[in-house]
Amino acid sequence: MNSDAVVPTTSGTTVAQRVLFDGPSPLVSADMYAEITKGSAERSRAAVTVAKRSVVSTNSYFGRFPASYWQRWTTVTEVTFDARVDGRARLDVVATDYLGRERLMASRAISDADDRVSLTVPTTQFLDGGALFVRIMTSADEFVLDDATWRVAAPERMRPTSVVVCTFNRADDCAATVAALADDPLALRDVDHVYVVDQGTDRVETRAEFQRVAGDLGDKLVYITQPNLGGAGGFTRGLYEVQGKGGDPANVVFMDDDVLCEPEAFVRMNAFANKTVEPAIVGAQMLYLLHPDRVHVGAEVANLQRLEAGLHVKDAFADRSVLKKKQQEVRVDAGYNGWWSCLIPSEIVAEVGYPLPLFFQWDDIEYGYRSRAHGFATVTLPGAAVWHADFAWKDWDEWHRYFNLRNGMITAALHTELDGVALAKQLRRDLLRYLVSMQYGMAYTLIKSVEDFLGGPALLADGGMEAAAAIRRERARYGETKRHNANDVPGVRPADMVITPAGPNPKPSMEWAVLAKRIVQQFRGRVHPGPVAISADDAHWWHVSLFAHAVVTDRSQEGVRVRVRDRQRALELLKRGRRVLDRLRKETPAVTQAYRAARSDLTTRENWARLYGLDTPAHAEVR
């Protein structure tokens, strides 16, 4: 059998998802697709060869059909497992419920006379949770199964679909992502266009891999260059192009440039979106690139008042191994979906407008909450995913923290009754912690984000380009924001840095007392002179603040940051911080109204056309 063959379209049905048996890269465990629970088997991308007296199950992260989500959000009432077969075996379709309990839905004994098998089961008893999977059992014969799919009734009309990949100076990564899509015929079968929005100076078009893909895609590929407007500007350009074509409603799929792409995620999101009862944002989950068997969050929400993003809802996976923990049995609702891989129907854009020009950070969150306010849900679909760099390996003390704070405040002002007094109290605590732990650049970043938030929506007039340049430039004045090779730390010999572990965490009831004590110690210089070495996990404010000179491991594990006590700088930042937080307490209601009044203008097609410079063709090029 040819394991690369594409299953011909079955009359009246469409592929909801393929049953794959191995990943797109050797980095990925085949057990994420199908498990050998007894005996042995050989797994390839599209086929599995099961040895005698063996059992293979697709009760795995990518192998399950998320029946609960299909029942809740789509018009589908039954699904058919269809595959090509060779040999003799027993094939079961098994269901789970929201507690993970299994029940047999259908079974077939496959004989030598069979070359295909189709088993249809209902999807009508999964409302609170559960999924479907297939189990293959052999006895005296080897058995081959390939070209397997889960199929559902075809929609009345397949919606036009476009993919948008935006990039900034990650040319190799972007070329690889586009190639992964282009090299999967079924994934791109229903795609009208692939938009690559290049906002960098190291152009993707210069890469041989991209040039090869461009030849394969032909007119499907649209390559756009434009000024760097961040992820918000890059992804919105795709929405802008699709909406500008008019015609029938369409799906637009966002894909980050620096992911390990699983093209099957696109197949599943698109099929799901074509069958929803009403338009909905359909998102993929994020798996960790450095730990490929771990899922970031099964479904996300944000605490707007506290500016906390990426929170997992009850019963949703969070930072778990999908190989060692139970599957995602309980159906959960998401507040939004990250744009690392996410589908947005054009009807939602027509109703709620375009994303805010926030440059990046919280743009996807704001759009998800705005869509929900207009009656459009976000569905994070289990089993649809891409691999992205682990968030835990990114250091918090970076320039993007400015956008995280500023845009969080803007989103909160737009979608909740933001309490400026409570927020000022929270940020005051954070500011003091940064100062006592000698993170003066972080303290400045916090202060600047609040100042600019209070400046109102006029700051968004250029899409964030000046703010991005300014915060990088201004943070460079603070030495501890720079990363150094651990064997080449300025002014410190390697032997002088002795690892100094942290003691136990302060009790919650004692945190303010400990913070006050550390403030006095730092400002009076009653601290250990150092230098000392502190691991990333031990770099708590209450530990680092015991020293005047600390060399702290960067979260990336690629180098270290050097923190040195500077009493004068701390005093200046404290005074400036107190002033702006006092303003935050008083001015939040008025600033909130200003953002709400400006939102409709900021999210128009005309505003984005201005930002793209489309009235001055020299600023944007489409090929």
Side-chain angles (χ1 to χ4, degrees), residues 95-374:
T96 62
D97 63 14
Y98 62 94
L99 293 175
R101 297 173 300 197
E102 296 181 5
R103 62 188 189 274
L104 186 63
M105 300 288 287
S107 184
R108 176 75 57 82
I110 310 299
S111 70
D112 291 331
D114 296 317
D115 59 4
R116 293 205 75 86
V117 61
S118 291
L119 294 171
T120 300
V121 295
T123 56
T124 53
Q125 290 183 293
F126 297 89
L127 199 54
D128 285 340
L132 292 164
F133 66 91
V134 173
R135 184 167 55 215
I136 306 165
M137 295 175 287
T138 61
S139 54
D141 297 281
E142 183 180 85
F143 178 77
V144 180
L145 182 143
D146 74 349
D147 293 331
T149 57
W150 293 99
R151 310 185 71 91
V152 298
E156 294 182 6
R157 178 184 54 81
M158 291 297 291
R159 299 162 59 91
T161 302
S162 294
V163 180
V164 181
V165 183
C166 75
T167 188
F168 176 75
N169 290 346
R170 286 176 172 153
D172 292 329
D173 290 340
C174 183
T177 297
V178 176
L181 287 169
D183 292 341
D184 192 318
L186 181 59
L188 283 188
R189 184 181 61 185
D190 299 318
V191 170
D192 293 303
H193 294 100
V194 176
Y195 293 94
V196 176
V197 183
D198 194 341
Q199 303 182 122
T201 53
D202 183 11
R203 298 295 193 194
V204 181
E205 64 183 343
T206 64
R207 298 307 197 264
E209 180 76 336
F210 185 77
Q211 293 166 3
R212 174 188 70 80
V213 168
D216 294 341
L217 291 176
D219 293 341
K220 278 191 175 184
L221 179 64
V222 181
Y223 182 66
I224 299 172
T225 61
Q226 66 181 33
N228 182 25
L229 290 162
F235 284 129
T236 300
R237 184 61 185 271
L239 295 177
Y240 182 94
E241 295 294 329
V242 172
Q243 293 289 108
K245 296 182 184 302
D248 295 330
N251 296 329
V252 183
V253 179
F254 294 165
M255 190 75 72
D256 264 0
D257 57 351
D258 59 342
V259 298
L260 172 57
C261 179
E262 171 50 90
E264 178 63 15
F266 170 77
V267 174
R268 297 181 185 190
M269 286 189 292
N270 194 43
F272 191 90
N274 272 292
K275 295 295 290 184
T276 53
V277 174
E278 55 188 12
I281 296 173
V282 182
Q285 295 178 343
M286 189 188 97
L287 297 164
Y288 286 141
L289 191 57
L290 294 177
H291 303 88
D293 68 330
R294 300 186 74 85
V295 64
H296 168 51
V297 177
E300 292 184 285
V301 291
N303 184 326
L304 299 182
Q305 174 60 47
R306 295 185 59 83
L307 312 183
E308 293 175 340
L311 304 177
H312 69 277
V313 301
K314 184 178 182 294
D315 296 316
F317 263 27
D319 297 329
R320 286 187 186 175
S321 169
V322 296
L323 297 179
K324 298 177 181 177
K325 304 291 184 180
K326 72 174 185 177
Q327 303 297 328
Q328 300 177 76
E329 302 292 3
V330 178
R331 183 179 57 79
V332 295
D333 291 330
Y336 66 94
N337 201 95
W339 283 353
W340 48 73
S341 188
C342 185
L343 182 152
I344 300 178
S346 61
E347 298 98 314
I348 295 181
V349 183
E351 175 72 19
V352 311
Y354 289 85
L356 279 171
L358 296 177
F359 196 78
F360 83 145
Q361 300 283 335
W362 285 79
D363 44 340
D364 44 13
I365 301 174
E366 191 283 326
Y367 201 76
Y369 277 95
R370 187 175 1 138
S371 298
R372 174 73 71 171
H374 283 78

Side-chain angles (χ1 to χ4, degrees), residues 554-565:
D554 188 82
R555 273 286 168 190
S556 69
Q557 299 292 312
E558 294 178 352
V560 295
R561 311 284 187 104
V562 181
R563 304 188 197 177
V564 179
R565 176 177 172 268

Side-chain angles (χ1 to χ4, degrees), residues 365-543:
I365 301 174
E366 191 283 326
Y367 201 76
Y369 277 95
R370 187 175 1 138
S371 298
R372 174 73 71 171
H374 283 78
F376 299 107
T378 294
V379 181
T380 298
L381 190 64
V386 295
W387 289 269
H388 191 284
D390 301 30
F391 285 166
W393 287 56
K394 293 184 177 182
D395 205 276
W396 201 234
D397 190 359
E398 291 288 354
W399 65 276
H400 59 70
R401 179 64 174 145
Y402 163 85
F403 286 99
N404 187 281
L405 288 167
R406 189 203 70 177
N407 295 349
M409 287 184 276
I410 293 172
T411 302
L414 292 172
H415 297 288
T416 190
E417 295 303 320
L418 182 60
D419 185 340
V421 174
L423 181 59
K425 181 179 179 180
Q426 173 187 327
L427 295 179
R428 179 186 63 172
R429 180 199 61 195
D430 292 342
L431 176 63
L432 292 173
R433 289 178 173 180
Y434 295 150
L435 291 176
V436 300
S437 55
M438 300 171 289
Q439 288 183 286
Y440 305 120
M442 276 288 280
Y444 172 81
T445 303
L446 183 153
I447 293 165
K448 181 63 173 173
S449 67
V450 179
E451 289 174 342
D452 287 354
F453 166 71
L454 294 175
L459 192 69
L460 304 180
D462 71 343
M465 287 189 288
E466 174 54 31
I471 195 62
R472 288 177 172 180
R473 182 173 62 248
E474 292 158 4
R475 278 177 51 88
R477 302 198 303 260
Y478 299 91
E480 80 284 348
T481 65
K482 300 179 178 66
R483 190 170 67 201
H484 304 278
N485 185 302
N487 292 319
D488 188 20
V489 179
V492 182
R493 294 179 60 190
D496 292 336
M497 295 180 291
V498 178
I499 295 175
T500 307
N505 291 10
K507 295 180 180 179
S509 62
M510 294 296 294
E511 280 196 8
W512 273 109
V514 174
L515 181 57
K517 183 179 179 180
R518 294 293 190 272
I519 292 171
V520 172
Q521 291 172 324
Q522 273 285 323
F523 276 80
R524 292 185 176 180
R526 295 177 178 174
V527 290
H528 187 289
V532 297
I534 298 176
S535 70
D537 274 350
D538 277 345
H540 311 291
W541 62 267
W542 44 264
H543 179 55

Side-chain angles (χ1 to χ4, degrees), residues 15-22 33-34 44-48 57-58 60 62-65 80-83 134 136 145-151 264 268:
V15 174
Q17 66 182 59
R18 293 175 291 182
V19 181
L20 303 173
F21 298 95
D22 201 1
Y33 293 80
S44 64
R45 181 69 166 158
V48 61
S57 168
T58 67
S60 58
F62 286 109
R64 291 154 58 90
F65 179 82
T80 298
F81 174 79
D82 182 83
V134 173
I136 306 165
L145 182 143
D146 74 349
D147 293 331
T149 57
W150 293 99
R151 310 185 71 91
E264 178 63 15
R268 297 181 185 190

